[in-house]
Amino acid sequence: LEMLKTGDMMQRVYTNSITGRQVVVFTEAARDSDAFHDPHSCLPGGGSPITQDVMIDLRIKKPKPMTIHATMLQATSSFGSSLVVYWYMRGAKTYPTTPAMRKGMRLVQLQAFREIAMNPGRSESVKKRVHENQWLWYRFSTEVWQDTDADLEELRQFIAEFVANTRGFGE
């Protein structure tokens, strides 16, 4: 945790008791962009070259209506093909790529520096607010069983249900 500069990490595997399909959910909370690694590096580095890379929008109804801007990757290896959908968040704002998250994080830091310069008396409270502010990374993956479109639709449904049941999502 110290090396990764992360606050919290969680990985769970959810299995559909009827079909046996599994979805791996990985979430991470951190204050520093170095804590997040780009799946564009780790998937090929782990032996699964990326065969499809597109940005998608996930329209969520619960806990509140919102659109999540995400990236969908398909990675293929000798063991099969899998789909990975991921995004980063700060509050209700979503970032579909690692570079977009890093840019957003730097912008928040610059805004804090500007606020301190304009209001030096509030510098401690601004520093505390920035330091306590965690960014979140959500990553969902599943194997391709039928075809990319059908499996992506199942993953979308799972993500919508997961988000609907995640307390404090988007706050």
Side-chain angles (χ1 to χ4, degrees), residues 110-124:
L110 287 172
Q111 289 169 339
F113 291 140
R114 181 175 182 263
E115 187 177 346
I116 290 170
M118 301 294 282
N119 304 291
R122 293 197 321 215
S123 66
E124 288 307 312

Side-chain angles (χ1 to χ4, degrees), residues 29-79:
R31 294 181 184 96
D32 189 314
S33 65
D34 291 344
F36 303 114
H37 67 279
D38 193 331
H40 290 89
S41 298
C42 72
L43 288 171
S48 298
I50 296 170
T51 56
Q52 187 174 5
D53 181 349
V54 295
M55 284 194 221
I56 62 172
D57 286 335
L58 304 168
R59 287 173 179 71
I60 304 297
K61 295 179 183 171
K62 293 179 182 178
K64 61 184 176 185
M66 68 183 299
T67 299
I68 296 171
H69 305 292
T71 296
M72 189 281 294
L73 303 174
Q74 183 169 354
T76 305
S77 72
S78 57
F79 298 107

